[in-house]
Amino acid sequence: MNIINIKDWKLGIQLSKEKPFLISGPCSAETETQVLQTCTQIANLGVDVLRAGIWKPRTRPGSFEGIGKKALPWLVEAGKQTNLPVCCEVANANHVEEALKHGIDILWLGARTTVNPFAVQAIADALQGVDIPIMIKNPVNPDLELWIGAIERIAQAGIQKIAAIHRGFSVYNAPKYRNQPQWEIPIELRRRIANLEIICDPSHIAGKRDLLFEIAQHALDLNFDGLMLESHITPDTAWSDAQQQVTPEGLQTLMKQLITRQLDTDNLDYLNKINHFRTLIDNLDTQTLHLLSQRMEIVRQIGLHKKESNIAILQIERWLNVRNSALEKAASSNLSESFVEDIINTIHKESIRQQTTIMRKD
Ligand code: PEP
Ligand code: MN
């Protein structure tokens, strides 16, 4: 996939190593004053792009569904006054047309749009022949293929300025965060589309402002390419997502606390030490695989032995003993119980698979 990175979007965005690339602004544009006051007050806090929701996809009817196209000039004016590019969400071809007509610089597809290939395709069709950066949020459900599919549809429309936004995945009765981060999914996205930049949206993951820092810092620790953080002049009275938006002062404090990480360095001390550790890890990985291979060889012998005596593959008591004895060793091995549980379950699953193959042979 031919992707142009954020620094080459030609919107005057200057990336720096000292601070993350930052998109900020209100969840929704509510009034002209609210948009202009919020945007001018955050403009010199390290914000690179201003955001505001114009059309809001709300779960239940009757909630505030966005001002609509009347608010587009407010956002454009905020961009002019601050000399920053502006972005908003589009959910259908008409939104695309209106946003382009008003001169919005960057568009994004929301989680409830990415989930629907018909909707994504309609937007992709409306973008044919247009040169504008598009950011694609993950779908509401933890489905990486659907996320990649949406990115491909936009790319196939000829858009090259593409970034992804990780905003977490919804579950029933969400325990801590409003949307589960499931970090392994954006990490896998990075492996699948190596040159794609990924921005983290801690606001929609957290759902509450006091959880923003830990999520934003984790994203930077994982070397995400930027952050999208909702801010509002008076968040407590916001017409949408009141609990997760921060004041301009809140945004400033958050940005000051965050530590950016570099991908590499030419510091020789660091390089020597990391190379030493990595050699140790590589050797241990080789040994671990060798031990697993030996274990599976015995598993296959047991499979044959059971087959000859017509004995069932699974004996629940034996499995419980194997599992419990591994779990008992977790603490003294300085390993978490859940990690040991995952490992022993995976090993057992493969052992059953191997023995099933042997049983079924001729
Ligand atoms: C938003 O960014 O305001 C929004 C509606 O986000 P999401 O699509 O992630 O729910
Ligand atoms: Mn929001």
Side-chain angles (χ1 to χ4, degrees):
M1 211 178 287
N2 213 352
I3 291 176
I4 298 175
N5 286 341
I6 296 167
K7 68 173 175 36
D8 298 319
W9 283 0
K10 301 219 169 75
L11 292 168
I13 298 169
Q14 300 287 333
L15 299 186
S16 112
K17 282 190 170 177
E18 319 305 321
K19 64 152 217 76
F21 168 67
L22 177 63
I23 303 170
S24 191
C27 175
S28 306
E30 299 164 6
T31 66
E32 184 167 16
T33 314
Q34 168 253 5
V35 172
L36 291 178
Q37 284 190 354
T38 305
C39 292
T40 49
Q41 290 194 26
I42 63 171
N44 38 30
L45 303 179
V47 175
D48 300 288
V49 176
L50 295 169
R51 65 152 280 158
I54 304 294
W55 301 276
K56 300 303 296 179
R58 306 312 299 279
T59 305
R60 307 276 304 271
S63 333
F64 169 60
E65 302 209 309
I67 296 288
K69 65 180 179 186
K70 188 180 134 200
L72 286 167
W74 307 343
L75 184 56
V76 171
E77 177 59 25
K80 278 201 187 118
Q81 289 190 12
T82 56
N83 204 20
L84 289 173
V86 297
C87 67
C88 74
E89 174 177 349
V90 289
N92 60 41
N94 176 253
H95 296 168
V96 173
E97 194 188 316
E98 290 295 343
L100 293 176
K101 204 163 77 190
H102 284 81
I104 301 294
D105 302 289
I106 304 168
L107 308 178
W108 86 78
L109 272 57
R112 293 163 193 78
T113 302
T114 306
V115 84
N116 180 353
F118 286 136
V120 176
Q121 192 56 52
I123 292 172
D125 293 344
L127 287 168
Q128 279 286 349
V130 180
D131 177 24
I132 188 169
I134 305 289
M135 306 186 292
I136 299 152
K137 287 202 176 195
N138 64 257
V140 279
N141 56 326
D143 185 339
L144 177 62
E145 298 311 314
L146 210 42
W147 197 359
I148 292 176
I151 295 165
E152 286 170 343
R153 284 178 198 278
I154 297 299
Q156 279 174 12
I159 299 287
Q160 295 192 327
K161 297 169 182 162
I162 295 181
I165 301 177
H166 167 233
R167 53 77 81 195
F169 303 91
S170 91
V171 293
Y172 183 57
N173 269 344
K176 178 175 179 187
Y177 300 130
R178 176 179 173 191
N179 290 294
Q180 310 313 298
Q182 299 199 236
W183 297 100
E184 67 279 11
I185 296 178
I187 290 173
E188 178 62 9
L189 175 63
R190 164 145 292 156
R191 193 185 70 77
R192 295 274 299 271
I193 310 178
N195 49 344
L196 177 69
E197 287 167 311
I198 310 180
I199 295 158
C200 180
D201 171 353
S203 304
H204 291 89
I205 294 175
K208 279 197 209 79
R209 63 183 75 95
D210 60 346
L211 297 174
L212 293 174
F213 172 76
E214 63 185 61
I215 296 164
Q217 185 59 58
H218 193 60
L220 298 184
D221 294 345
L222 294 177
N223 202 42
F224 272 62
D225 300 286
L227 300 172
M228 180 186 254
L229 286 163
E230 287 183 340
S231 51
H232 191 291
I233 192 84
T234 50
D236 288 329
T237 59
W239 299 358
S240 61
D241 289 352
Q243 289 181 41
Q244 72 195 31
Q245 302 198 62
V246 289
T247 58
E249 299 74 46
L251 184 68
Q252 186 170 31
T253 310
L254 189 60
M255 293 306 287
K256 273 194 187 143
Q257 286 172 336
L258 289 173
I259 303 169
T260 52
R261 314 279 184 200
Q262 311 309 327
L263 197 51
D264 48 29
T265 167
D266 38 26
N267 178 308
L268 277 182
D269 269 355
Y270 167 82
L271 290 173
N272 286 336
K273 224 176 190 163
I274 193 82
N275 286 338
H276 167 69
F277 285 139
R278 284 183 173 161
T279 309
L280 294 178
I281 289 279
D282 289 348
N283 288 337
L284 286 168
D285 282 352
T286 307
Q287 288 179 47
T288 308
L289 284 177
H290 185 63
L291 285 173
L292 284 172
S293 155
Q294 284 183 320
R295 189 191 194 283
M296 287 306 158
E297 179 51 37
I298 298 182
V299 162
R300 287 189 290 271
Q301 288 181 30
I302 294 179
L304 263 181
H305 189 53
K306 284 177 183 165
K307 184 179 183 178
E308 279 158 15
S309 305
N310 206 22
I311 301 291
I313 294 175
L314 178 68
Q315 272 119 60
I316 195 72
E317 247 160 65
R318 167 68 184 154
W319 164 227
L320 289 179
N321 284 338
V322 168
R323 193 175 175 280
N324 288 340
S325 118
L327 289 179
E328 275 163 21
K329 291 180 196 109
S332 62
S333 313
N334 209 7
L335 298 170
S336 76
E337 255 198 28
S338 67
F339 175 65
V340 172
E341 191 175 10
D342 283 352
I343 298 269
I344 201 69
N345 281 344
T346 303
I347 291 176
H348 186 246
K349 195 170 144 197
E350 175 62 10
S351 303
I352 294 216
R353 199 188 65 78
Q354 297 249 358
Q355 294 194 354
T356 305
T357 310
I358 286 170
M359 286 277 179
R360 288 204 188 140
K361 228 183 218 159
D362 42 68

